[in-house]
Amino acid sequence: MSIKRNGEPEEKNRVEGGTLYLVATPIGNLADLSERAIKVLGEVDFIAAEDTRNSMRLLTHLGISKPMISYFEHNKRERGPVIADRLAAGESCALITDAGTPAISDPGEDLVALCAQRGIPVTHIPGACAAIVALTLSGLPTGRFVFDGFLPVAKAERRERLAELAGETRTVILHEAPHKLRATLDDLVEALGDRPIALCRELTKRNEEIMRTTLSGAVEYYRTHDPRGEYVLVLAGGEKRSAAADEAFWQEMTPEAHVAYYEAQGASRMDAMKKAARDRGMSKSALYSLLLQGKEQGQG
């Protein structure tokens, strides 16, 4: 943004060659697309889209016809350098996702990193972001929060992530698909205990729904109701433990009991050993030796 001589800000509206534009698209209501976003989409040399078919419908609605290239999770390694090369050659590009802000829980972050490495200018055209919309509607604290996207699918990684979230005191924002919602709610209540949650779906659309309840209440509700639409889950943070409590809880435990404590929270054997070793201020190998000694003494 430049500054006029009279002190009034002058908006930077001219599309410049060799620049990547991150353009946020509506998450449901097409009226949320800004005039600046429409102008940029209409003036760039080409558009990189998560799904060119979905994006074509948006562009057709806007009366915009532009060359498009697909850019998504499974082709980002191949297409990222192609897009960067075109930018380096002086073309301008708008990156859009199916809905919301590019580079948030989205492979756009890799393209931005690539452009940063190559000294290619990147700028952002602000707009809707489902995580922030849900946070503001949740009724939960917004001063400090953490966005964790989708939980891992692999069981070991999922247990580890849930164990991390169990100790998180900030408001937590997650995304979830409808067909996975029930399993995720079950995992959350088991790992985190019961706590307030807001389940947000169909944001900005006619059937927008914000359910403010508890994890146990959500589990009970969806036993008899089918999840529909994409969800943003906003969870209250856990209670903050004092440093003294964190330090003291394992003092009377044997090394084996210490490891078992973390396993009971859902951590794998290896992750539980890492956590216990960190608590005790020792290496994992040193803790492993203690575990072996305890087993040998028990056998003796």
Side-chain angles (χ1 to χ4, degrees):
M1 179 181 290
S2 58
I3 302 297
K4 291 182 178 180
R5 289 184 180 179
N6 63 7
E8 292 296 322
E10 180 180 356
E11 294 182 355
K12 183 179 180 181
N13 286 324
R14 182 169 60 87
V15 170
E16 298 178 352
T19 299
L20 176 66
Y21 291 83
L22 306 180
V23 181
T25 53
I27 58 176
N29 193 322
L30 291 179
D32 291 337
L33 193 65
S34 70
E35 291 184 13
R36 184 180 173 213
I38 296 172
K39 183 176 188 297
V40 169
L41 291 173
E43 294 184 2
V44 292
D45 293 307
F46 70 103
I47 295 172
E50 180 180 7
D51 187 322
T52 55
R53 294 166 299 180
N54 288 341
S55 297
M56 183 61 72
R57 288 194 284 270
L58 173 63
L59 296 176
T60 299
H61 172 79
L62 298 172
I64 295 173
S65 177
K66 285 289 173 180
M68 300 181 71
I69 182 174
S70 66
Y71 177 81
F72 54 91
E73 182 64 31
H74 299 296
N75 75 355
K76 64 183 182 182
R77 292 185 180 179
E78 169 198 346
R79 291 292 170 82
V82 172
I83 295 170
D85 286 344
R86 293 179 65 174
L87 289 165
E91 292 187 76
S92 57
C93 173
L95 176 66
I96 59 177
T97 184
D98 283 350
T101 298
I104 299 296
S105 194
D106 175 83
E109 65 177 313
D110 297 277
L111 183 56
V112 173
L114 179 60
C115 288
Q117 292 170 6
R118 297 183 57 170
I120 296 170
V122 180
T123 191
H124 191 112
I125 314 301
C129 177
I132 298 301
V133 172
L135 176 66
T136 61
L137 294 174
S138 69
L140 295 171
T142 62
R144 299 180 71 234
F145 62 90
V146 56
F147 173 69
D148 224 60
F150 289 93
L151 290 174
V153 176
K155 290 183 178 180
E157 294 180 18
R158 191 176 181 90
R159 283 197 302 267
E160 183 177 356
R161 183 72 59 81
L162 287 168
E164 292 174 356
L165 292 179
E168 180 58 68
T169 59
R170 294 168 293 182
T171 301
V172 177
I173 306 172
L174 300 170
H175 284 169
E176 193 51 276
H179 64 284
K180 295 181 179 179
L181 180 68
R182 287 178 173 136
T184 292
L185 290 173
D186 287 339
D187 289 345
L188 287 170
V189 75
E190 180 179 351
L192 278 62
D194 205 13
R195 63 176 67 179
I197 183 175
L199 298 93
C200 309
R201 56 180 292 272
E202 299 295 292
L203 291 170
T204 76
K205 298 179 183 178
R206 179 177 298 177
N207 296 321
E208 177 178 279
E209 179 182 81
I210 314 298
M211 178 189 291
R212 302 178 184 90
T213 180
T214 60
L215 275 172
S216 61
V219 168
E220 184 65 27
Y221 178 84
Y222 282 106
R223 282 177 182 162
T224 56
H225 295 77
D226 291 330
R228 295 180 180 179
E230 299 296 320
Y231 285 81
V232 182
L233 309 179
V234 187
L235 283 161
E239 294 185 5
K240 187 173 183 179
R241 292 168 57 96
S242 67
D246 283 336
E247 183 178 351
F249 85 94
W250 56 268
Q251 294 289 341
E252 302 301 320
M253 292 181 179
T254 64
E256 184 62 44
H258 196 172
V259 173
Y261 167 81
Y262 284 119
E263 287 182 306
Q265 290 186 338
S268 65
R269 179 72 172 179
M270 188 65 67
D271 291 332
M273 288 174 61
K274 290 179 181 178
K275 292 175 181 291
R278 184 168 59 246
D279 288 345
R280 292 171 177 264
M282 62 174 60
S283 67
K284 190 178 69 174
S285 59
L287 177 64
Y288 183 67
S289 295
L290 288 177
L291 294 174
L292 285 178
Q293 291 173 16
K295 184 178 293 187
E296 291 171 356
Q297 291 172 1
Q299 292 174 347

